Amino acid sequence: MPQLSMEVAHSLGKDEALRRLQSKFDQVRRQYGDSVGELTESWRDGRFEFGFQTMGMHISGQIEVADTAVRLNCELPWAAAMFKGMIESRIRSELGDLLDDSAAR
């Protein structure tokens, strides 16, 4: 399966970055919950592991939150490989906005 890996720097500190990510995932779950199935998630010591099924494809990955960066590693299904660049750009943009220290949340 194609891998999607990225790192987004931040200056929020681990606790604030983690709080924002958890809040964002709660929002995403509420907004798209009816479009995904087999949702699994686990938060443990600044590491988030997730998996879900959408449009017949399974997606899984991990997010690690550190003091100055967030790292994402995700396995994309082959059917989504041709959209990898677009997916990566969208995630990088969303993470950048979420972790912007000038944005009050």
Side-chain angles (χ1 to χ4, degrees):
M1 286 190 161
Q3 287 288 120
L4 176 65
S5 298
M6 70 177 69
E7 182 172 309
V8 177
H10 67 82
S11 59
L12 299 172
K14 183 177 179 176
D15 290 340
E16 178 61 14
L18 188 59
R19 184 193 69 75
R20 289 185 186 195
L21 280 166
Q22 287 173 326
S23 177
K24 180 68 171 181
F25 276 100
D26 288 343
Q27 175 190 353
V28 168
R29 189 181 325 101
R30 284 190 306 273
Q31 186 174 357
Y32 298 104
D34 58 344
S35 302
V36 298
E38 300 180 28
L39 177 65
T40 60
E41 59 182 286
S42 171
W43 288 95
R44 199 173 300 123
D45 298 325
R47 183 180 172 102
F48 175 58
E49 295 187 19
F50 63 90
F52 61 91
Q53 187 96 7
T54 186
M55 299 187 313
M57 298 181 280
H58 182 73
I59 299 170
S60 63
Q62 308 84 34
I63 296 176
E64 292 183 54
V65 181
D67 288 333
T68 60
V70 170
R71 290 178 221 40
L72 168 83
N73 292 298
C74 181
E75 290 185 11
L76 294 176
W78 286 108
M82 71 177 99
F83 303 106
K84 181 180 175 183
M86 184 175 65
I87 293 167
E88 181 175 0
S89 177
R90 176 71 185 264
I91 292 172
R92 189 174 296 280
S93 175
E94 293 277 336
L95 279 175
D97 290 347
L98 185 69
L99 300 172
D100 181 356
D101 65 351
S102 67
R105 304 228 180 251

